[in-house]
Amino acid sequence: MTPSDRDATGLLTQSESTRADDFVQLVSPTGERRANAEFDPWITDVDPAALGRLYRDMAIVRRIDTEATALQRQGELGLWPPLAGQEAAQIGSGRALRDDDFIFSSYREHALAWCRGVEPAELLSVWRGSAASGWNPFEHGMAVPQIIIGAQALHATGYAMGAAWEGTDTAAIAYFGDGATSEGDVNEALVFAASFDAPVVFFCQNNQWAISEPVGLQSKQHLARRADGFGMPGVRVDGNDVLAVLAATRIALDRARRGAGPTFVEAVTYRMGPHTTADDPKRYRTDDELVEWGGRDPLARVLALLDASGVDIEGLQRDVTAEADRAAAELRAAVTTIADPAPLTVFDNVYAEPNSHLERQREHYTRYLAMFDTSSAEGSDAAASAPAEGDAR
Amino acid sequence: MTPSDRDATGLLTQSESTRADDFVQLVSPTGERRANAEFDPWITDVDPAALGRLYRDMAIVRRIDTEATALQRQGELGLWPPLAGQEAAQIGSGRALRDDDFIFSSYREHALAWCRGVEPAELLSVWRGSAASGWNPFEHGMAVPQIIIGAQALHATGYAMGAAWEGTDTAAIAYFGDGATSEGDVNEALVFAASFDAPVVFFCQNNQWAISEPVGLQSKQHLARRADGFGMPGVRVDGNDVLAVLAATRIALDRARRGAGPTFVEAVTYRMGPHTTADDPKRYRTDDELVEWGGRDPLARVLALLDASGVDIEGLQRDVTAEADRAAAELRAAVTTIADPAPLTVFDNVYAEPNSHLERQREHYTRYLAMFDTSSAEGSDAAASAPAEGDAR
Amino acid sequence: MTTLTLAKALNAGLRRALADDEKVVLMGEDIGTLGGVFRVTDGLKAEFGAKRVVDTPLSEAGIVGTAVGLAYRGFRPVVEIQFDGFIYPGFDQIVAQVAKLHYRSRGNVRMPITIRVPFGGGIGAAEHHSESPEAYFAHTAGLRVVACSNPADAYVMVRQAIASDDPVLFFEPKRRYHVKGEVDETASLADARPMGVATTVATGTHVTLVTYGALVQTARDAAVAAAEDGISIEVIDLRSLAPVDYATIEASVRRTGHLVVTHEAGQQGGVGAELAASITERCFEFLEAAPVRVTGHDIPYPPAKLERHHLPDLDRILDGVDRVLGRPNSLSGVEA
Amino acid sequence: MTTLTLAKALNAGLRRALADDEKVVLMGEDIGTLGGVFRVTDGLKAEFGAKRVVDTPLSEAGIVGTAVGLAYRGFRPVVEIQFDGFIYPGFDQIVAQVAKLHYRSRGNVRMPITIRVPFGGGIGAAEHHSESPEAYFAHTAGLRVVACSNPADAYVMVRQAIASDDPVLFFEPKRRYHVKGEVDETASLADARPMGVATTVATGTHVTLVTYGALVQTARDAAVAAAEDGISIEVIDLRSLAPVDYATIEASVRRTGHLVVTHEAGQQGGVGAELAASITERCFEFLEAAPVRVTGHDIPYPPAKLERHHLPDLDRILDGVDRVLGRPNSLSGVEA
Ligand SMILES: Cc1ncc(C[n+]2csc(CCOP(=O)(O)OP(=O)(O)O)c2C)c(N)n1
Ligand SMILES: Cc1ncc(C[n+]2csc(CCOP(=O)(O)OP(=O)(O)O)c2C)c(N)n1
Ligand SMILES: [Mg+2]
Ligand SMILES: [Mg+2]
């Protein structure tokens, strides 16, 4: 009953290529421009000046990321999930978006917040533990960060469905990681998006790791291949190549706007830092890997390409470094402007409408706080005078 | 920025074929044997006698199904989900299994229960509303039916992981429908199965409908294509062709036993009856469709093939009809043997170990019942003497 | 006034909401072409089109999760969960997203999502088709939880739920879908009783009997039966399970001194536990006996032939009334 | 006796379970190579191999659902949910499958699955990392729910949970992972206190104070502080949340006449509601005041800088004690 020991092929199809470098690359790690007939037409507007601006974005967000990590080490932030290594994936896609497009991100997409003009204090307040979220999503076209892995993929899909039903050509974009592709929510989002031709881009940053788990544990297949089975195109790009990412995202957004439905973009990149400042990556990965990926740095290759294009990269670097330092200083300064929240604000915004139960709880807690202090508990500095654990009565 | 209005292709791959008949067929609806170099070697043992046995299985389960539907109409069952139309998909796969393989089914796989020697009363008790389940899974190598759509796909995967870890070559098979492919659980099962090379077969009966929803609402892509993106082979077979199903399942099981991992089988079939006896399919589908699929009947083509092979099909039909009638009569007789459960059995088997809370509740309810009746509430006929809603005190 | 079944009253309420606000969209499995397995959305797709009444893929997390995105975009999604027992795959999206996004976004993002759930047993159904999961949601901050019990309320409350800027879990007593009642289709929402307010459906002096959903009718029947024994029961239809209208219950218990709560859900951590605890806190000195709970057992929902031994019925409620009043009852003589 | 942190005691208990029974397998995200984000499974993969200590794909439904299949196959899976707030994607598999399969299969299929959940706040974490979801599971028939509070219990209870033929939700007080205590690694399970039995951790005569998990220590501190004011508090560590060991609590309340329950979870429908309601039922005539609940507010878990205004602490517990005793307290003079 076993006629052969090799797999039947026929319709028992399974694609074979899982080579890591099997992706679209427009700029090599050493800065050579690789021609690509499909992708090149989408970035004809990117002249050296524009490329310089992409470099600037990446350099600044890298500096902001470093500064935020330092702030966490110094106790100013409770936690920080660094984006280091993923600058091209985030800036390349972020700069492809139109202002009216809506971003549903995970927790690591600080560069998207940068693209959307989120203020430093807005960016940090949630990581400082001072606020449930930093910015108003409707001011920046970007949802509050999502910690539940994959949940935002459905939100982006629903948003996109709504935008299409309204007859607009606005798109939504969902950011998630390689690990997230294992969650039901992401897969269900692909189902819904395909079914409703939703104008949504699924942007997967495959940074090789989900905390300590390598991407191979989530999938033995390229993640971009996931798309086809759900009825949408998938593309795998070098996520450390800002031009490839920009082009792929533009292609995907164009499809969305034309009513042609969703696209799945896998950006192959690497998380150079720890998962978060609470993580110790030495426990699960080798220095060799870091060195290898360090050689594929997203910024270095853009500089090399600019250099080859005749741009004065020393001047550029000088300017950008100064700008980045200013951004870092602003960040540091912003931390101190984030007020500690007043105690009774714990009750704010649980409901949009009056709620008898919560109002009673709030009233009771107000009375409780009043036992400790004669000054108002409502003031923003009231936290300082609230009871400390273990205070004698 | 929009260089062309056609889709970029390149790595933006998306497979194109969504033709309904794009599947493996070994026997045409009119009974012609179609040669297939990949699949034929897997069914060389199926001589006319063996084919006759497959016909017999299908005819009997069809008859059982009709009888159960009648029993429901007559009030003997609370509900029945008919399998009519899916005989080949279920018998072809069921007869590919080894005794030690374990089945995790949905609610419609009565033919699998037949293959596994489940007794009529065991089959019906749950649909009569008399018991939480009918048979002991370990006696028949088949889990209790699953109503939560898709949940069993994960159970099959876990079972298969365990069987492999134990070093056996036992496989598990998960049955689910086209609609189920939209649930997170099924997709997560594909992830886990691929990651752990679990010896599991995902057997999707695409019967074109999920209650009133056509398969096109769940997916615009062939469901079998889902497999590739998760890193496993997928095969789409004519689910009304018992030989194609048998071969595909054998191929998949062989892969599983060899440690080569999971396979996804999509059996393209049709639910000829209502979703359940509570459903009214006239509200959502046309007679034309029924007529069309009626022309692809799984039994008729086997008969035609047997006829062409020189088998006395009239004799066969006579014998099988008699057998099927006997099976139906046994089913009908079995219904009356299913005892009404005793009231206090509601508390049985909630926990495997003593539970103080539930024991107290049981004791209280025992006392409560005792108020109405002096005879024991434990006896199996006690239900008859328990209080009826609205009884005067 | 029109005479409508509860299911048809919901249908009318949904139609009205769709007509009144173009941002209202209905989503769910089989709600469009089929009109829902209970026909609650019958005819609405034909009337409002496939972009307002949306048959979705088979995925509860998907339905609720895309509803969140639609709410972000300014829609007011009304989600149907086909049966109570199928809400759990959507639990994360409900509890971690729908419930928390207004708080998480510091009030910037509203989640005016209504999640309709046909709930409860008594219809002889298969497993997972008769559950009472309301306590999970009543325990979840950020959600409102309501249950209707009659056609008039159904018509009004579903519209109120949809109009609410907070997410509402809307429980529908499926075994009463086909029971008729008078519905005033002309009354304005502004004049209607707010959905957060309980209704005293029978006045009485000896015992306060609180319930919701399908058991409201059983409780009324119990009050009638008890009256023959000279026991006067005040029946309160809770309507809102979170927040609870304690003012109404407290006022009653202060008069009667006795509280019985009944629901189909299990006892451990059910809505009755919160009611008993809260009323004890608020009315301790008025209580003449400990509040009594008459509930489903703490078991998975049993097979259909046993469900009448699980669900509270008139007799079990009256036994609870006897218990709270210290009259002979099933636990007489049992140490508490 | 060895001195171990609570996390290391769990590690030792898991190691012992893995060594004693080859059918025990550990599953979860980052539990293998990393040893878990709290290092509870540190070193176990190296010792027992990747088929006994399994790093799984990132999917909670997937982990619990495959654990169900493994249980069908005769394994005893021990699942780690990385943080409390990530349990909800697995809710359906827990509530509709793990909890119900023994019942559904009429006792044929056992689900000896232990689901470990680091729970609670007080560690300054981000959203979804400080939740107390235990009441959802205590309301679910078919599950056992326990919480450990100290290293000695952690070591024994985790082994008892794994040995149990019923599924157990095992809650671990994450903010006490690093607190040390004496552990007897030689004692046999047979002699150990069953996990369903509560422990009286401080004896007292005026008030019975019941809690579990991280707040056990806070409650003990409160008892010490109250003693200075001449108030004698009996502190009970519940340990098992479902079923509850009412015998121990009842005996205490009959002596003290006063019950205070405290937990981090919200009040509405929390475990405290069930305790208050049940104790009122069982001890009504012994109660001198309504049971008091000191709980987290009914809000989503607040940002880290506000968590001390959400979590019950020593002062809030003592305020609750004052309330139950009728001493001056924050609600003095407020109509109940
Ligand atoms: C539902 C859920 N489960 C688990 C976690 C814990 N967790 C936080 S980040 C993370 C890994 C995510 O990996 P990936 O999706 O690749 O994103 P990355 O962090 O690499 O950007 C895990 C397991 C979570 N936040 N949510
Ligand atoms: C989680 C869940 N959601 C919804 C349902 C209700 N339901 C029962 S069967 C069904 C359709 C299933 O379709 P499919 O998977 O194609 O299987 P088929 O019935 O066609 O065999 C639905 C929606 C359910 N049982 N479980
Ligand atoms: Mg990653
Ligand atoms: Mg189907």
Side-chain angles (χ1 to χ4, degrees):
Chain A
M1 227 183 284
T2 307
S4 79
D5 62 17
R6 66 179 170 80
D7 266 1
T9 51
L11 282 191
L12 277 176
T13 51
Q14 189 186 3
S15 56
E16 294 293 300
S17 167
T18 47
R19 280 184 13 248
D21 61 349
D22 175 15
F23 52 40
V24 176
Q25 188 183 70
L26 302 184
V27 185
S28 80
T30 48
E32 282 103 55
R33 184 68 170 77
R34 298 263 160 83
N36 182 308
E38 296 290 345
F39 282 64
D40 288 347
W42 293 88
I43 49 166
T44 51
D45 61 319
V46 186
D47 56 16
L51 193 58
R53 286 194 296 276
L54 291 170
Y55 174 78
R56 170 183 171 272
D57 280 335
M58 294 195 291
I60 293 176
V61 298
R62 177 172 290 185
R63 185 71 184 81
I64 287 174
D65 188 63
T66 313
E67 192 70 14
T69 301
L71 286 168
Q72 195 282 334
R73 302 291 181 216
Q74 291 154 18
E76 294 290 346
L77 301 181
L79 190 78
W80 181 255
L83 63 74
Q86 303 178 214
E87 297 86 354
Q90 297 188 13
I91 292 296
S93 55
R95 289 306 184 195
L97 298 170
R98 227 166 54 187
D99 277 358
D100 62 318
D101 295 333
F102 209 94
I103 300 169
F104 289 85
S105 82
S106 176
Y107 39 81
R108 202 186 295 288
E109 285 71 40
H110 317 304
L112 274 302
W114 164 257
C115 289
R116 287 307 174 102
V118 168
E119 296 292 329
E122 290 179 324
L123 181 68
L124 296 186
S125 62
V126 65
W127 302 109
R128 189 171 165 83
S130 305
S133 66
W135 62 86
N136 179 345
F138 302 113
E139 270 172 26
H140 299 286
M142 181 165 173
V144 293
Q146 179 62 252
I147 284 179
I148 298 297
I149 299 298
Q152 73 279 11
L154 282 166
H155 306 167
T157 303
Y159 188 95
M161 286 160 59
W165 289 343
E166 286 174 355
T168 70
D169 71 347
T170 294
I173 186 166
Y175 285 87
F176 51 86
D178 44 301
T181 60
S182 296
E183 286 281 8
D185 279 12
V186 169
N187 293 283
E188 297 183 3
L190 299 178
V191 169
F192 274 68
S195 192
F196 295 104
D197 288 323
V200 56
V201 179
F202 295 104
F203 195 92
C204 176
Q205 291 176 80
N206 174 358
N207 65 4
Q208 312 303 319
W209 292 95
I211 309 186
S212 74
E213 301 188 339
V215 60
L217 179 62
Q218 317 290 339
S219 183
K220 295 178 174 168
Q221 177 66 289
H222 284 336
L223 296 171
R225 295 283 318 165
R226 190 73 66 88
D228 176 56
F230 288 89
M232 70 184 72
V235 59
R236 182 171 151 92
V237 298
D238 182 345
N240 283 8
D241 172 357
V242 73
L243 287 189
V245 173
L246 179 68
T249 313
R250 282 177 171 180
I251 294 170
L253 287 167
D254 178 63
R255 286 192 78 244
R257 295 195 209 295
R258 284 189 288 112
T263 304
F264 187 106
V265 179
E266 176 189 2
V268 181
T269 180
Y270 194 77
R271 156 164 71 70
M272 296 297 291
H275 171 67
T276 67
T277 46
D279 179 41
D280 174 12
K282 287 215 166 51
R283 290 182 73 106
Y284 54 82
R285 68 187 188 184
T286 63
D287 284 347
D288 287 357
E289 198 177 293
L290 274 182
V291 170
E292 187 185 330
W293 281 93
R296 300 176 197 152
D297 185 63
L299 277 76
R301 71 179 75 182
V302 173
L303 264 194
L305 178 60
L306 285 169
D307 196 13
S309 321
V311 172
D312 164 20
I313 60 164
E314 274 173 28
L316 176 68
Q317 274 184 289
R318 215 174 22 247
D319 292 353
V320 165
T321 304
E323 253 194 292
D325 286 345
R326 266 199 307 279
E330 277 170 29
L331 199 76
R332 180 166 288 272
V335 167
T336 60
T337 70
I338 301 172
D340 279 354
L344 288 174
T345 62
V346 290
F347 297 102
D348 292 349
N349 298 314
V350 180
Y351 296 95
E353 299 188 352
N355 189 288
S356 55
H357 175 71
L358 206 64
E359 276 148 29
R360 186 170 190 263
Q361 252 181 17
R362 183 191 175 103
E363 188 191 310
H364 286 184
Y365 193 65
T366 307
R367 294 182 60 95
Y368 172 77
L369 288 182
M371 295 201 308
F372 296 89
D373 185 17
T374 48
S375 78
S376 159
E378 302 268 354
S380 70
D381 59 346
S385 58
E389 173 119 4
D391 257 8
R393 296 186 299 159
Chain B
M1 224 182 283
T2 307
S4 79
D5 60 21
R6 64 178 173 80
D7 266 2
T9 51
L11 282 190
L12 278 175
T13 50
Q14 189 188 359
S15 56
E16 294 292 301
S17 167
T18 46
R19 283 189 5 253
D21 62 349
D22 175 15
F23 52 38
V24 175
Q25 189 182 69
L26 301 185
V27 185
S28 79
T30 48
E32 282 102 56
R33 185 68 171 76
R34 297 263 159 85
N36 182 309
E38 296 289 346
F39 283 65
D40 288 347
W42 293 89
I43 49 166
T44 50
D45 61 320
V46 185
D47 56 18
L51 193 59
R53 287 193 295 276
L54 292 170
Y55 175 78
R56 169 183 171 273
D57 280 335
M58 294 196 289
I60 292 176
V61 297
R62 177 172 289 184
R63 185 72 185 80
I64 287 174
D65 188 63
T66 312
E67 191 70 15
T69 302
L71 286 168
Q72 195 283 334
R73 301 291 181 217
Q74 291 154 18
E76 294 290 346
L77 301 180
L79 190 77
W80 180 255
L83 63 73
Q86 302 178 215
E87 296 86 354
Q90 296 189 13
I91 292 294
S93 55
R95 288 307 184 196
L97 298 170
R98 224 166 56 188
D99 277 357
D100 62 319
D101 294 334
F102 209 92
I103 300 170
F104 289 86
S105 82
S106 179
Y107 39 80
R108 202 185 296 288
E109 285 73 38
H110 317 304
L112 275 303
W114 164 256
C115 290
R116 286 306 173 104
V118 168
E119 297 293 329
E122 290 179 325
L123 181 69
L124 295 186
S125 62
V126 65
W127 302 109
R128 189 169 165 83
S130 306
S133 66
W135 62 86
N136 179 345
F138 301 114
E139 270 173 26
H140 299 286
M142 181 166 174
V144 293
Q146 179 62 251
I147 284 179
I148 298 297
I149 300 297
Q152 73 279 13
L154 282 165
H155 305 169
T157 302
Y159 188 95
M161 287 161 60
W165 290 344
E166 286 174 353
T168 70
D169 71 347
T170 294
I173 186 165
Y175 285 87
F176 51 86
D178 44 302
T181 60
S182 295
E183 286 282 9
D185 279 11
V186 168
N187 293 282
E188 297 183 3
L190 299 179
V191 169
F192 274 68
S195 192
F196 294 105
D197 288 324
V200 56
V201 179
F202 295 104
F203 195 92
C204 176
Q205 291 176 79
N206 174 359
N207 65 4
Q208 313 303 319
W209 292 95
I211 310 186
S212 73
E213 301 189 340
V215 60
L217 180 62
Q218 316 290 341
S219 183
K220 294 177 175 170
Q221 176 67 289
H222 284 336
L223 296 171
R225 296 282 317 164
R226 190 73 66 87
D228 177 56
F230 288 89
M232 69 185 70
V235 59
R236 183 171 151 92
V237 298
D238 181 345
N240 283 7
D241 171 358
V242 72
L243 287 189
V245 173
L246 179 69
T249 313
R250 282 177 170 180
I251 295 170
L253 287 166
D254 178 63
R255 284 192 80 244
R257 296 195 208 295
R258 284 189 289 114
T263 304
F264 187 106
V265 179
E266 176 189 1
V268 181
T269 180
Y270 193 77
R271 156 165 70 70
M272 297 296 291
H275 171 67
T276 67
T277 46
D279 179 40
D280 174 13
K282 287 216 165 49
R283 291 181 72 104
Y284 54 81
R285 67 185 189 186
T286 63
D287 284 346
D288 288 357
E289 200 178 292
L290 274 182
V291 170
E292 188 186 328
W293 280 93
R296 299 176 196 154
D297 185 65
L299 277 75
R301 72 179 75 181
V302 172
L303 263 195
L305 179 60
L306 284 169
D307 197 12
S309 320
V311 171
D312 163 21
I313 61 165
E314 274 174 29
L316 176 68
Q317 274 183 291
R318 213 174 22 246
D319 292 354
V320 165
T321 304
E323 254 193 292
D325 286 344
R326 264 199 306 281
E330 276 170 29
L331 199 77
R332 180 166 288 272
V335 167
T336 58
T337 70
I338 302 172
D340 278 356
L344 289 174
T345 61
V346 291
F347 296 102
D348 292 349
N349 298 314
V350 179
Y351 296 95
E353 299 187 351
N355 189 288
S356 55
H357 175 70
L358 206 64
E359 276 149 28
R360 186 170 190 265
Q361 254 182 17
R362 182 191 176 103
E363 189 191 309
H364 285 185
Y365 194 64
T366 306
R367 294 182 61 96
Y368 171 77
L369 287 182
M371 294 201 308
F372 296 90
D373 186 17
T374 47
S375 78
S376 160
E378 303 267 356
S380 69
D381 60 345
S385 57
E389 173 119 3
D391 256 8
R393 296 187 299 159
Chain C
M1 288 285 187
T2 336
T3 305
L4 293 176
T5 63
L6 198 153
K8 288 234 184 312
L10 287 166
N11 183 276
L14 291 169
R15 175 177 292 107
R16 181 76 178 268
L18 283 161
D20 286 354
D21 183 349
E22 62 172 18
K23 287 295 171 197
V24 172
V25 289
L26 274 45
M27 306 171 68
E29 298 158 7
D30 305 295
I31 69 163
T33 309
L34 184 66
V37 295
F38 295 107
R39 309 291 185 263
V40 169
T41 54
D42 197 22
L44 299 179
K45 180 180 167 197
E47 193 169 333
F48 295 95
K51 287 179 185 167
R52 304 289 306 286
V53 181
V54 186
D55 272 326
T56 65
L58 207 177
S59 147
E60 290 72 17
I63 300 170
V64 179
T66 51
V68 168
L70 283 160
Y72 252 105
R73 182 73 195 180
F75 287 82
R76 304 186 90 83
V78 183
V79 160
E80 175 175 302
I81 300 293
Q82 197 164 83
F83 278 87
D84 33 56
F86 310 149
I87 199 166
Y88 308 122
F91 200 76
D92 179 61
Q93 284 286 348
I94 297 173
V95 161
Q97 306 296 333
V98 173
K100 294 193 167 89
L101 266 163
H102 190 260
Y103 193 75
R104 182 188 303 159
S105 69
R106 293 194 293 146
N108 284 305
V109 185
R110 302 204 155 178
M111 285 288 129
I113 299 177
T114 300
I115 301 180
R116 296 180 37 240
V117 190
F119 86 124
I123 60 162
E127 208 192 351
H128 307 290
H129 289 74
S130 304
E131 311 242 317
S132 294
E134 62 274 13
Y136 296 125
F137 304 102
H139 181 55
T140 305
L143 300 176
R144 296 190 63 129
V145 183
V146 303
C148 60
S149 69
N150 61 68
D153 274 3
Y155 177 71
V156 172
M157 287 172 72
V158 78
R159 291 169 58 211
Q160 291 171 322
I162 295 169
S164 169
D165 275 340
D166 287 315
V168 179
L169 268 284
F170 189 88
F171 286 96
E172 304 172 359
K174 72 168 88 80
R175 76 168 125 134
R176 297 198 58 82
Y177 269 146
H178 304 301
V179 175
K180 287 186 178 156
E182 296 292 288
V183 176
D184 179 0
E185 292 189 70
T186 62
S188 86
L189 272 200
D191 304 332
R193 177 183 297 250
M195 65 179 174
V197 176
T199 308
T200 304
V201 294
T203 55
T205 54
H206 297 143
V207 177
T208 303
L209 174 59
V210 178
T211 190
Y212 51 90
L215 287 180
V216 171
Q217 185 56 48
T218 318
R220 297 175 86 141
D221 296 344
V224 171
E228 290 172 21
D229 280 3
I231 299 169
S232 168
I233 301 182
E234 180 143 308
V235 179
I236 295 177
D237 179 355
L238 204 51
R239 298 184 1 131
S240 179
L241 281 50
V244 168
D245 170 15
Y246 281 109
T248 299
I249 307 174
E250 261 183 81
S252 175
V253 171
R254 279 167 200 249
R255 281 190 287 102
T256 65
H258 299 96
L259 174 67
V260 174
V261 187
T262 182
H263 53 61
E264 296 186 12
Q267 181 184 68
Q268 275 192 102
V271 167
E274 181 61 42
L275 285 168
S278 288
I279 288 299
T280 303
E281 277 165 24
R282 292 166 183 246
C283 305
F284 188 69
E285 63 276 39
F286 297 91
L287 285 177
E288 291 168 33
V292 163
R293 292 177 283 166
V294 179
T295 71
H297 309 303
D298 287 306
I299 60 173
Y301 202 87
K305 297 242 179 207
L306 283 175
E307 67 181 335
R308 71 198 169 97
H309 288 290
H310 174 60
L311 298 175
D313 61 11
L314 187 143
D315 288 310
R316 277 169 69 189
I317 292 173
L318 291 177
D319 182 54
V321 168
D322 286 343
R323 186 151 21 121
V324 85
L325 290 175
R327 290 162 48 101
N329 69 86
S330 65
L331 298 186
S332 297
V334 179
E335 241 205 277
Chain D
M1 288 286 186
T2 335
T3 305
L4 293 177
T5 63
L6 198 155
K8 287 234 185 315
L10 287 167
N11 182 276
L14 292 170
R15 174 176 292 106
R16 181 77 179 268
L18 283 161
D20 286 352
D21 183 349
E22 62 172 18
K23 287 295 171 197
V24 172
V25 289
L26 272 47
M27 307 171 68
E29 298 158 8
D30 305 295
I31 68 163
T33 309
L34 184 65
V37 295
F38 295 106
R39 307 293 185 263
V40 169
T41 53
D42 198 20
L44 299 179
K45 180 180 164 195
E47 193 171 333
F48 296 95
K51 287 180 186 169
R52 303 289 306 285
V53 182
V54 186
D55 272 325
T56 65
L58 208 177
S59 147
E60 290 73 18
I63 300 170
V64 179
T66 50
V68 168
L70 282 160
Y72 252 106
R73 182 74 196 179
F75 286 82
R76 303 185 90 83
V78 183
V79 160
E80 175 176 302
I81 300 293
Q82 197 164 82
F83 277 87
D84 34 55
F86 310 149
I87 198 166
Y88 308 122
F91 200 76
D92 178 63
Q93 284 286 346
I94 298 173
V95 161
Q97 307 296 332
V98 173
K100 295 193 167 91
L101 266 163
H102 189 259
Y103 194 76
R104 182 188 303 159
S105 69
R106 293 194 295 146
N108 285 306
V109 184
R110 303 207 153 177
M111 285 289 128
I113 299 177
T114 300
I115 302 180
R116 296 181 37 240
V117 190
F119 86 124
I123 61 161
E127 207 192 352
H128 307 291
H129 289 72
S130 305
E131 312 242 315
S132 295
E134 62 274 14
Y136 295 126
F137 303 103
H139 181 54
T140 304
L143 301 177
R144 295 189 64 126
V145 183
V146 304
C148 60
S149 69
N150 62 69
D153 274 3
Y155 176 70
V156 172
M157 287 171 72
V158 78
R159 290 169 58 210
Q160 290 171 323
I162 295 169
S164 168
D165 276 340
D166 287 316
V168 179
L169 269 284
F170 190 87
F171 286 96
E172 304 171 0
K174 71 168 89 81
R175 76 167 124 136
R176 299 198 58 81
Y177 270 146
H178 303 301
V179 176
K180 288 185 177 156
E182 296 292 287
V183 175
D184 180 1
E185 292 189 70
T186 61
S188 85
L189 271 199
D191 304 334
R193 177 183 296 251
M195 67 179 173
V197 175
T199 308
T200 304
V201 295
T203 54
T205 54
H206 297 141
V207 177
T208 303
L209 174 58
V210 179
T211 190
Y212 51 89
L215 286 181
V216 171
Q217 185 56 49
T218 317
R220 297 175 85 141
D221 295 345
V224 172
E228 289 172 22
D229 280 4
I231 300 169
S232 168
I233 300 183
E234 180 144 307
V235 180
I236 294 176
D237 180 354
L238 205 51
R239 296 181 5 129
S240 178
L241 281 51
V244 167
D245 170 15
Y246 280 110
T248 299
I249 308 174
E250 261 184 82
S252 175
V253 171
R254 278 165 200 250
R255 279 188 289 103
T256 64
H258 298 97
L259 174 68
V260 174
V261 187
T262 182
H263 53 61
E264 296 186 13
Q267 181 183 68
Q268 275 192 100
V271 166
E274 180 61 42
L275 285 168
S278 288
I279 288 299
T280 303
E281 278 165 25
R282 291 166 184 246
C283 306
F284 188 69
E285 63 275 39
F286 297 91
L287 285 177
E288 290 169 31
V292 163
R293 292 176 283 167
V294 179
T295 70
H297 310 303
D298 288 304
I299 60 173
Y301 202 86
K305 297 241 179 206
L306 284 175
E307 66 181 337
R308 71 201 170 94
H309 287 291
H310 174 60
L311 297 175
D313 61 11
L314 187 143
D315 289 309
R316 277 171 69 190
I317 290 172
L318 290 177
D319 183 53
V321 167
D322 286 342
R323 187 152 19 120
V324 85
L325 291 175
R327 290 162 47 103
N329 69 87
S330 65
L331 298 187
S332 297
V334 179
E335 241 205 277

